Amino acid sequence: MMLPTHALMGLAIAAPLVVVAPDLASAALVGAFAGGLLPDLDLYAGHRRTLHYPTLYTIAAVPVAIATALFLTPWLVALTFLFLGAALHCRMDRYGGGLELRPWEGTSDRAVYDHVRSRWRAPKRWVRYDGAPEDLLLAILVGLPLLVVLEEPFQWLVGVALVVGGLYGLLRRRLANIAPVVFGSVPESVNEYVPNRYKQN
Ligand SMILES: [Zn+2]
């Protein structure tokens, strides 16, 4: 799924705190938002492997959540939701498409790397590819209630995520055609950092 959907899902798991524990809601929202984005920082270095830990983020969340329940500090709340957001992100990647330039072709059997079992998990393709119409629909279904429930500045994050997601959804297939042209013409020194899937034709 695309990054805006991950970000919105992150915000969504922290949103109940707006009602349950308003004092800690901002910390939870910041943590969950960052957690939703964090795994995809590996986009250019071992994507869906280097920072994607489907099991370990969940395991890491447990002791931190226990410490949070005991001490209830904003930092611990943020950290708990960071792990929860990252864990949810990795799980969502499993239900999306594979790791390839044109994931709608469905030729890749790599959704997300499972470090515990030392192998790639296959994509389930409930959302066929990042930026697919159903991906955008999911972002809207999660984002619109958040626009109502959250206040500034989180409302802005939701708005930006929806706009970026909408544009990405519109351009997704065209971007796949542009990528090999753009990345094919970069200097050799830069080229070695470009993931192979962007060089396919
Ligand atoms: Zn990811």
Side-chain angles (χ1 to χ4, degrees):
M1 272 151 264
M2 58 182 174
L3 204 50
T5 311
H6 285 300
L8 291 168
M9 291 289 277
L11 288 173
I13 56 172
L17 269 77
V18 172
V19 178
V20 181
D23 293 353
L24 297 167
S26 291
L29 288 163
V30 169
F33 181 77
L37 301 181
L38 172 77
D40 276 354
L41 293 180
D42 68 12
L43 193 59
Y44 296 101
H47 186 36
R48 299 215 193 143
R49 178 171 182 162
T50 309
L51 291 174
H52 283 66
Y53 294 91
T55 314
L56 296 181
Y57 284 131
T58 313
I59 293 171
V62 174
V64 182
I66 293 170
T68 305
L70 291 174
F71 301 109
L72 272 185
T73 72
W75 281 104
L76 281 170
V77 169
L79 195 61
T80 302
F81 277 91
L82 180 109
F83 282 131
L84 291 176
L88 177 65
H89 175 128
C90 297
R91 187 123 291 268
M92 284 166 63
D93 276 349
R94 185 84 207 284
Y95 298 114
L99 203 53
E100 58 192 312
L101 179 63
R102 298 181 180 85
W104 46 89
E105 291 174 354
T107 58
S108 170
D109 57 359
R110 295 182 168 191
V112 67
Y113 193 76
D114 184 338
H115 294 264
V116 174
R117 292 186 179 82
S118 300
R119 64 177 172 84
W120 285 90
R121 294 300 201 97
K124 290 186 186 287
R125 299 196 173 89
W126 292 3
V127 169
R128 290 166 301 153
Y129 58 91
D130 57 303
E134 60 269 29
D135 192 2
L136 187 56
L137 181 68
L138 179 63
I140 292 169
L141 287 176
V142 176
L144 288 184
L146 287 174
L147 274 181
V148 177
V149 174
L150 302 183
E151 293 177 356
E152 288 180 24
F154 299 103
Q155 255 176 351
W156 282 102
L157 289 180
V158 174
V160 169
L162 287 172
V163 171
V164 171
L167 289 172
Y168 186 75
L170 282 176
L171 298 174
R172 179 62 180 92
R173 283 173 178 252
R174 243 168 283 177
L175 289 173
N177 293 330
I178 295 167
V181 179
V182 173
F183 291 116
S185 58
V186 296
E188 196 59 38
S189 56
V190 179
N191 200 35
E192 62 182 284
Y193 295 103
V194 177
N196 279 333
R197 69 180 186 283
Y198 291 152
K199 300 175 195 165
Q200 303 161 0
N201 278 308

